[in-house]
Amino acid sequence: MTSQRIGRLAVLAALPLAALTVTASPPAVAAEDTPAFQIDLEQLNDTGSKGTALVSLRGDEMTVWIKSEGLVPGQPSAQHLHGSTEGRDFQCPDASADKNGDGVLDNTEATVHYGDINIALTVSGDTDAATSGLAVDRMPVADEEGKVTYKRTIKVGEDVVEKIKDLHIVQHGIDRNDNDKYDFEGAGKSELDPKLPQEATAPANCGVVKGAAVGSVPVGGIETGGEAGTGGTAWGTAIGGAGAASVAAAGVVMIARRRMASRGVAVVKAGGAE
């Protein structure tokens, strides 16, 4: 290796990682003190909706990213963390959960399988299930292509921190009569609130934490599952190229240091010698 190339590698290795990242990267979800969990969202009610979510924890703060599609364009999509913090095994339902046979899996039928709301994933204001579960005015609105991108950091209780693997994400909102809006003609009134159309509250997709063990108290319900690489929108798309840039930069630095060390070249970190 020429002295000129060695010099370039020394300069690269000395740069702080932040300097190699073009844009601000997401939180360091790979850090030991920041566990992260992936959730692949799969369609319910034949919506074709799918997506990927990432949930990370830092102390009592939970950050949720969601990138999904196949929702009703221009309409709010109610979304929540459902499940149990008491070890109960709630999972995502399938079409067989439509017990009244009306062709719509409503929220009451689905709740038997995926559990009650634990946290309302609103864009602003409180996230309490009782006060914000149906706060459609504070839920993310799908764009003209039916896509939703969401990120929010929320303070949570110790029960959520300890049982995060038993919780999962559900997004709501369907368009049964294909007119690109929620109305009472599509599926009638919501069983949760007669002032709302059924289309606004019926589940559009659901996903469980990948790799999570089932809860300790079986409840019933059918897990839709979803193996790695199927059904979900690529997470890299959701967080942009910044995260990939950070990983790539870290790899470049590591390779440079290894090459230099193998040739007896001193590697200098920002802030001191190695």
Side-chain angles (χ1 to χ4, degrees), residues 43 45 73 188:
Q43 69 168 348
N45 278 312

mmCIF file of all heavy atoms in Angstrom, residues 43 45 73 188:
data_model
loop_
_atom_site.group_PDB
_atom_site.id
_atom_site.type_symbol
_atom_site.label_atom_id
_atom_site.label_comp_id
_atom_site.label_asym_id
_atom_site.label_seq_id
_atom_site.Cartn_x
_atom_site.Cartn_y
_atom_site.Cartn_z
ATOM 1 N N GLN A 43 -52.320 -7.461 6.066
ATOM 2 C CA GLN A 43 -53.685 -7.001 5.819
ATOM 3 C C GLN A 43 -54.746 -7.750 6.624
ATOM 4 O O GLN A 43 -54.623 -8.939 6.906
ATOM 5 C CB GLN A 43 -54.025 -7.124 4.342
ATOM 6 C CG GLN A 43 -54.162 -8.562 3.851
ATOM 7 C CD GLN A 43 -54.787 -8.642 2.468
ATOM 8 O OE1 GLN A 43 -55.326 -7.668 1.929
ATOM 9 N NE2 GLN A 43 -54.729 -9.804 1.852
ATOM 10 N N ASN A 45 -59.299 -7.680 6.570
ATOM 11 C CA ASN A 45 -60.452 -7.217 5.785
ATOM 12 C C ASN A 45 -60.137 -7.049 4.298
ATOM 13 O O ASN A 45 -60.728 -6.197 3.612
ATOM 14 C CB ASN A 45 -60.996 -5.903 6.363
ATOM 15 C CG ASN A 45 -61.909 -6.127 7.554
ATOM 16 O OD1 ASN A 45 -62.816 -6.960 7.505
ATOM 17 N ND2 ASN A 45 -61.671 -5.409 8.644
ATOM 18 N N PRO A 73 -56.999 6.690 1.100
ATOM 19 C CA PRO A 73 -56.362 7.974 0.799
ATOM 20 C C PRO A 73 -57.100 9.158 1.424
ATOM 21 O O PRO A 73 -58.331 9.243 1.374
ATOM 22 C CB PRO A 73 -56.427 8.040 -0.734
ATOM 23 C CG PRO A 73 -56.497 6.617 -1.172
ATOM 24 C CD PRO A 73 -57.315 5.932 -0.122
ATOM 25 N N GLY A 188 -72.102 0.504 7.295
ATOM 26 C CA GLY A 188 -72.980 0.936 8.380
ATOM 27 C C GLY A 188 -72.247 1.678 9.480
ATOM 28 O O GLY A 188 -71.148 2.207 9.288
#
